[in-house]
Amino acid sequence: MKYKIVADSSANLYSTNSNPAFVSVPLQIITDRQQFTDNESLDIKGMVNFLDFYKGKSGTACPNVDDYLIAYGNADHIFCVTITGTLSGSYNSACAAKQEYETAYPGKKVFVINSLSTGPELKLLIERLNQLIRKDLDFDSICREITAYQEKTGLVFALKSLNNLANNGRVSPLIARLIRTLEIRLVGIASESGDLKPLDKPRGEKKALHKLLDRMKEYGYQGGSVRIDHCYNIPAALELKTAICKAFPGADVKIAQTIGLCSFYAEKGGILVGFEKG
Ligand code: X90
């Protein structure tokens, strides 16, 4: 059986070493002056710097049904992970593509997972899918196992600016205004309904990192895998990693850079943390 893992570019992964059959489906970042496709050719730093100075309108667009159909290719069994369907149409496109695919190729199957999250939590799901596929489990067992695993993963974040989220109707302008002060961060989680849930407004990076770890623990973190994706904030990512490993020696913590979509919404300095519960 030919297995394939597909994820939209909210996962901050263009490719994986462990699974050659992984395909990333790009979202688009759109401004009046320039359009950015979130694939390997994107100059992420160039885009982030451009957005820093650009004062006009900007937004994003999710993949369409054809983008997903192309990504599904002709694999027999496909697992497709999307950004939260609460904030993006990506999940709907992936589901519509699944219907077309399964009708066009009887016997082939697509399992679409609405992550109810973004970035590093998708990475955890993708890593687990890789392991389950390597274990040679059948399609239905993998669907069951990944659904159970999803219950055991979470996402916390700390953001310095919510301008792009607010300008695109993904959070209320009121919340965005709360953190206009330079030093204030917004710490929050991806809620069970796949929405951004604000929790704390710490002043300064140190306090924000503290809060992140506190919230992780409160939501069930006990030393499992952690994936930190940062938007040009290596010092914060490293400091958080150190704090996690101090509290939970031996924890598997990996750091990476956000790619296009999450860089646009998390903005410079933002960090996203996917973690395992229990
Ligand atoms: O369809 C589209 O155009 C994409 C829209 C995506 C909107 C949300 C992106 C969030 C990126 C921000 C912090 C984490 C929020 C977690 C909420 C579940 C990252």
Side-chain angles (χ1 to χ4, degrees), residues 27-28 59-63 83-84 87-90 116-118 155 157 159 165 170 189-191 194-197 261-262 265-266 272:
L27 284 94
Q28 306 280 334
T60 55
C62 67
I83 187 170
T84 172
L87 298 177
S88 168
S90 186
L116 299 171
S117 184
T118 189
L155 180 88
F157 54 83
L159 305 178
L165 281 164
R170 263 73 184 196
I189 56 159
S191 74
D195 213 342
L196 189 142
K197 181 170 176 184
L261 192 270
C262 285
Y265 283 108
L272 309 173

